[in-house]
Amino acid sequence: MRTEIATLGEFGLIRHLTEGIELKNESSRYGVGDDAAVLSYPADKEILVTTDLLLEGVHFDLTYVPLKHLGYKSAVVNFSDIYAMNGTPKQITVSLSLSKRFCIEDMEELYAGIRLACEEYHVDIVGGDTSSSYTGLTISITCIGEGERGKVVYRNGAQETNLICVSGDLGAAYMGLQLLEREKAVLTSDKDVQPDFAGKEYLLERQLKPEARKDIIEKLAQAGIQPTAMMDISDGLSSELLHICKQSKVGCRVYEEHIPIDYQTAVMAEEFNMNLTTCALNGGEDYELLFTVPIADHEKISEMEGVKLIGHITKAELGCALITRDGQEFELKAQGWNPLKGESAEQKNDEEAEKRGQRKFPVHTKC
Amino acid sequence: MRTEIATLGEFGLIRHLTEGIELKNESSRYGVGDDAAVLSYPADKEILVTTDLLLEGVHFDLTYVPLKHLGYKSAVVNFSDIYAMNGTPKQITVSLSLSKRFCIEDMEELYAGIRLACEEYHVDIVGGDTSSSYTGLTISITCIGEGERGKVVYRNGAQETNLICVSGDLGAAYMGLQLLEREKAVLTSDKDVQPDFAGKEYLLERQLKPEARKDIIEKLAQAGIQPTAMMDISDGLSSELLHICKQSKVGCRVYEEHIPIDYQTAVMAEEFNMNLTTCALNGGEDYELLFTVPIADHEKISEMEGVKLIGHITKAELGCALITRDGQEFELKAQGWNPLKGESAEQKNDEEAEKRGQRKFPVHTKC
């Protein structure tokens, strides 16, 4: 079923997509339907604002990303930024621009993913904007959240002797992307072959349906641990660690053997003949939390499930280094994915861009 | 001078563009440089959030829109939405995506316009996102503002016998657009001809450098007038009036002879052989304020400079109508610009899109 978007128009489409949305948070006073949304936060909260702009062909490829997953992920990556400030996401605005390739049913799918993420994380959709575009799909989401006054965690508070911690495991989202890109190439060369993802579901899920680490923020609060610095890992561990060290004016030592890596990530790296540590250090989109805590919290943090201690903060003069399994020291470098260097984004023409997403293959990740 | 954006990369470009930004508002606690911006509003304020997504070729044409003007306008249209809630804009986040056609100097121009608007309206830039795109320029701005608790004005509060008011004059921005489009067509056919804008500076300024009506909001507060409903006129008077009437469940009568129109708009409409009232009713992008006030404020509002009384609110059963100069009644219809119906946006290919903005002509509006 394909219903052209022109049958509804801009206002009609917004109305249709936001129908039945009920505001759940007390701070959400008025949502979609006026010149601006109206929010109301108590004076003991600090308000957090983050925004992300996602473009088809640059940030996502609709050949293998189902629209519902894309909607879910677009929302969750913004929530992740709010948690990374030690806050709680409360509202989002959603702006979309879309070419004529997309129909109302496509937008329903995308929105279903956004709404599912909002339900799971208790966030309200309070506004947005919809318009046409010449090429592909653009998604711009702004997320507003709250933090306790005085408990917001920045990138610049790490101090010498602090312990460096990460949640979950690293590199899996990147391996998931490699896997999807490989199967896409296979599909392009021979249409009868179906992609084979058996035993690699975890990698796919990490790439296609990441979660924000709400649970870690809650655990830290319950354990009475106040991180000194924190950010989420979207561009790779190396890149993020360097941000924290630069902004905190400190150095660091990270131990290769302590970097948490899932078994499937290791198997896949071997299959691709890639260096596993490099994948874990530089692969992006894990949306895990990277944070530092005072050394006095060593015991508490060691006992915390889902958190790994990977190193410690040093004086700035000592620089930022990785200690390998055999005891060698290597300077940490940011090789994170940089969409402005054009490494991942070749210039392609419109037709090409519009063709993307027409040939799809089934992805078996639930959303 | 042309410096490729790749020389700086994503983080470098953001740092470069946001260098030297100082936060001026007390509610802006932490700006660019972390996972999220941190704001702090007192409990007696309501927080307003609005967002706009602007795409090259759909919302602006770089053949005749200088980048500095574009930056200025992109910010101001968001401020306008906050004023339309009877609020004051305080912060914006700016997300950009750009193709390889753009260089660092281009982005400096664009940002100079955004920063100028922020200075004039006392707004802080607190965050954003930058990435590459396949085609053209995309700008996504989110604006956060404040309103006094209980004084925020929605679209749904208009009541029978209320007076309908507009600020400034209407249709000029639309005529400015027509003028620019005509000169663009001339330029395309014969490259030696320079565009002739003599005597039409006001129309150009209305299209290229609109202002948000901060002054009207201040005057209303000073006069002790609390509007019952309000919105800004971005899609045309007819369309906006219908929004207010629909959401307030009322009807209206608007008098053709009272619709404020500038002399230059009238001259231009004649030159283009267009119906002047149609231009004023349906031309978009004026960013004037449309609002309703209780009839008891008649005297105060009549004396207010820059505000015109154009009609009154009726029972819903009477519908929404325009009374012409000769006393006839016509049903009001929304013919406002709808970017999703594809009327203004033809599907063009990338090459075409990338060519736009390469051939430019000088526009003499100060920014």
Side-chain angles (χ1 to χ4, degrees):
Chain A
M1 171 121 182
R2 181 185 163 91
T3 317
E4 295 301 327
I5 283 167
T7 58
L8 284 179
E10 179 186 6
F11 300 125
L13 180 62
I14 293 179
R15 252 198 311 273
H16 177 67
L17 294 175
T18 57
E19 236 166 32
I21 286 182
E22 279 172 29
L23 303 180
K24 289 163 288 186
N25 290 309
E26 213 197 314
S27 52
S28 309
R29 294 296 167 98
Y30 196 95
V32 176
D34 218 296
D35 294 290
V38 182
L39 315 178
S40 190
Y41 278 95
D44 61 336
K45 304 287 184 192
E46 305 228 57
I47 301 155
L48 307 167
V49 182
T50 183
T51 188
D52 249 316
L53 181 61
L54 304 172
L55 288 97
E56 185 179 351
V58 179
H59 301 95
F60 55 88
D61 184 335
L62 292 177
T63 314
Y64 50 73
V65 179
L67 281 163
K68 191 172 177 188
H69 285 71
L70 177 63
Y72 191 89
K73 183 170 173 175
S74 306
V76 163
V77 300
N78 276 286
F79 304 162
S80 180
D81 278 322
I82 299 291
Y83 290 120
M85 302 294 289
N86 200 26
T88 311
K90 292 289 176 179
Q91 290 92 17
I92 55 167
T93 63
V94 180
S95 293
L96 304 173
S97 81
L98 35 132
S99 72
K100 287 182 176 166
R101 193 177 95 227
F102 297 92
C103 61
I104 291 176
E105 289 76 11
D106 290 335
M107 290 304 100
E108 286 172 350
E109 273 297 292
L110 182 77
Y111 237 80
I114 296 173
R115 289 176 73 156
L116 179 62
C118 285
E119 247 166 63
E120 295 202 353
Y121 290 85
H122 307 289
V123 171
D124 292 319
I125 300 174
V126 295
D129 196 9
T130 309
S131 93
S132 62
S133 89
Y134 287 116
T135 34
L137 178 64
T138 304
I139 306 170
S140 176
I141 292 185
T142 297
C143 183
I144 299 117
E146 66 179 32
E148 300 296 323
R149 195 171 290 278
K151 298 245 171 154
V152 168
V153 179
Y154 297 86
R155 296 177 180 177
N156 62 9
Q159 287 165 20
E160 209 189 323
T161 76
N162 279 182
L163 305 173
I164 302 171
C165 312
V166 291
S167 64
D169 59 80
L170 301 179
Y174 177 74
M175 292 318 301
L177 180 64
Q178 298 307 312
L179 177 62
L180 286 162
E181 285 285 342
R182 181 182 72 181
E183 297 303 313
K184 181 188 168 187
V186 169
L187 185 81
T188 310
S189 63
D190 184 346
K191 285 179 194 173
D192 289 338
V193 179
Q194 277 296 302
D196 179 18
F197 297 129
K200 294 168 180 130
E201 293 79 6
Y202 179 65
L203 304 179
L204 287 187
E205 196 172 315
R206 293 288 283 173
Q207 171 57 226
L208 294 173
K209 194 169 177 276
E211 300 291 348
R213 299 309 304 259
K214 180 189 201 311
D215 57 331
I216 299 293
I217 295 302
E218 289 167 354
K219 274 186 196 172
L220 288 169
Q222 278 159 21
I225 299 174
Q226 170 76 8
T228 50
M230 183 155 57
M231 64 187 294
D232 71 334
I233 304 177
S234 52
D235 292 328
L237 177 62
S238 284
S239 166
E240 317 302 25
L241 251 176
L242 289 172
H243 278 301
I244 285 185
C245 288
K246 191 176 172 190
Q247 292 192 35
S248 300
K249 301 192 178 72
V250 294
C252 72
R253 289 296 172 276
V254 169
Y255 298 86
E256 185 183 19
E257 63 187 322
H258 294 315
I259 296 173
I261 295 170
D262 185 81
Y263 173 75
Q264 285 194 21
T265 308
V267 169
M268 201 67 222
E270 179 131 343
E271 204 176 313
F272 276 117
N273 205 14
M274 283 173 166
N275 180 296
L276 181 58
T277 303
T278 305
C279 294
L281 280 176
N282 300 315
E285 302 197 282
D286 285 317
Y287 301 105
E288 294 296 343
L289 291 171
L290 168 68
F291 55 97
T292 56
V293 299
I295 197 164
D297 288 324
H298 182 272
E299 202 176 332
K300 283 194 219 166
I301 206 81
S302 307
E303 288 166 358
M304 195 172 285
E305 219 185 314
V307 171
K308 278 269 276 188
L309 240 157
I310 61 165
H312 59 269
I313 297 293
T314 66
K315 279 192 179 58
E317 300 84 84
L318 296 176
C320 297
L322 175 80
I323 317 290
T324 57
R325 282 169 212 277
D326 55 6
Q328 291 192 67
E329 228 179 87
F330 287 96
E331 195 194 334
L332 274 182
K333 280 182 187 159
Q335 290 168 7
W337 186 69
N338 183 340
L340 271 180
K341 282 198 181 139
E343 287 157 354
S344 329
E346 288 162 42
Q347 206 77 17
K348 289 175 188 167
N349 68 26
D350 228 20
E351 225 173 282
E352 192 65 29
E354 286 299 301
K355 259 188 226 155
R356 276 192 298 267
Q358 283 173 2
R359 212 187 298 152
K360 289 177 188 175
F361 56 82
V363 169
H364 304 288
T365 307
K366 274 182 203 157
C367 191
Chain B
M1 172 121 181
R2 181 185 163 89
T3 317
E4 295 300 328
I5 284 166
T7 59
L8 286 179
E10 180 186 6
F11 300 126
L13 181 62
I14 292 180
R15 252 198 311 273
H16 177 68
L17 295 175
T18 57
E19 235 166 32
I21 285 182
E22 280 171 28
L23 303 181
K24 289 162 289 188
N25 290 308
E26 213 196 313
S27 52
S28 308
R29 294 295 168 99
Y30 196 96
V32 176
D34 218 297
D35 293 290
V38 182
L39 315 179
S40 189
Y41 279 95
D44 61 337
K45 305 286 183 191
E46 304 227 59
I47 300 156
L48 307 168
V49 182
T50 182
T51 189
D52 248 317
L53 181 60
L54 304 173
L55 289 98
E56 187 180 349
V58 180
H59 300 96
F60 56 87
D61 184 335
L62 291 177
T63 315
Y64 50 74
V65 180
L67 281 162
K68 191 171 177 189
H69 285 73
L70 177 62
Y72 191 88
K73 184 170 172 175
S74 305
V76 164
V77 301
N78 277 285
F79 302 162
S80 181
D81 278 322
I82 299 291
Y83 290 120
M85 301 295 287
N86 200 26
T88 310
K90 292 288 177 182
Q91 289 92 17
I92 56 169
T93 62
V94 179
S95 293
L96 303 173
S97 81
L98 35 132
S99 73
K100 287 183 178 165
R101 193 177 93 227
F102 297 93
C103 62
I104 291 177
E105 289 76 11
D106 290 335
M107 289 305 100
E108 286 171 350
E109 273 297 292
L110 182 77
Y111 237 80
I114 296 173
R115 289 176 75 156
L116 179 62
C118 285
E119 248 166 64
E120 295 202 353
Y121 290 86
H122 306 289
V123 170
D124 292 319
I125 300 174
V126 296
D129 197 8
T130 308
S131 93
S132 63
S133 90
Y134 288 115
T135 35
L137 178 64
T138 304
I139 306 170
S140 177
I141 292 185
T142 297
C143 183
I144 299 116
E146 66 179 32
E148 300 296 323
R149 195 171 287 279
K151 298 247 171 151
V152 168
V153 179
Y154 297 85
R155 295 177 180 177
N156 63 10
Q159 287 165 19
E160 208 189 326
T161 77
N162 278 183
L163 305 173
I164 303 171
C165 312
V166 291
S167 64
D169 59 80
L170 301 179
Y174 177 74
M175 292 318 302
L177 180 64
Q178 297 307 311
L179 178 62
L180 286 161
E181 285 285 343
R182 182 182 72 181
E183 297 303 312
K184 181 188 168 186
V186 169
L187 185 81
T188 311
S189 63
D190 183 346
K191 284 179 194 173
D192 290 339
V193 178
Q194 277 296 303
D196 179 19
F197 297 129
K200 289 161 184 139
E201 293 78 7
Y202 179 66
L203 304 179
L204 287 188
E205 196 170 315
R206 292 288 283 175
Q207 171 57 225
L208 294 173
K209 193 170 178 278
E211 300 291 350
R213 299 309 304 258
K214 179 190 201 308
D215 57 329
I216 299 292
I217 295 302
E218 288 168 354
K219 274 186 196 172
L220 288 169
Q222 278 159 20
I225 299 173
Q226 170 76 7
T228 50
M230 183 155 58
M231 64 186 296
D232 71 333
I233 303 176
S234 52
D235 292 328
L237 177 62
S238 284
S239 166
E240 317 302 23
L241 251 176
L242 290 170
H243 279 302
I244 284 185
C245 288
K246 192 178 172 191
Q247 293 192 34
S248 301
K249 301 192 177 72
V250 294
C252 72
R253 289 295 172 275
V254 169
Y255 297 86
E256 185 183 17
E257 62 186 322
H258 294 314
I259 296 173
I261 295 171
D262 185 81
Y263 173 75
Q264 286 193 22
T265 309
V267 169
M268 202 67 222
E270 179 132 342
E271 206 176 311
F272 276 117
N273 207 11
M274 283 173 164
N275 181 296
L276 182 58
T277 303
T278 305
C279 294
L281 281 176
N282 299 316
E285 300 197 281
D286 286 317
Y287 301 105
E288 294 295 342
L289 291 171
L290 168 68
F291 56 96
T292 55
V293 299
I295 197 162
D297 287 325
H298 182 271
E299 203 176 332
K300 284 193 218 168
I301 206 82
S302 306
E303 287 166 359
M304 195 172 284
E305 220 185 317
V307 172
K308 279 268 276 188
L309 240 158
I310 61 164
H312 59 268
I313 296 294
T314 66
K315 280 192 177 63
E317 301 83 85
L318 295 176
C320 297
L322 175 79
I323 316 291
T324 58
R325 281 168 212 277
D326 56 6
Q328 289 191 68
E329 231 179 85
F330 287 95
E331 195 193 335
L332 274 182
K333 280 181 188 160
Q335 291 169 7
W337 186 69
N338 184 340
L340 271 180
K341 281 197 182 143
E343 286 157 355
S344 330
E346 288 162 43
Q347 206 79 15
K348 289 174 188 169
N349 70 25
D350 228 19
E351 227 172 281
E352 191 68 28
E354 285 300 300
K355 261 189 226 153
R356 277 192 298 266
Q358 282 173 1
R359 211 186 300 153
K360 288 178 188 174
F361 55 82
V363 168
H364 303 289
T365 307
K366 275 183 203 156
C367 191

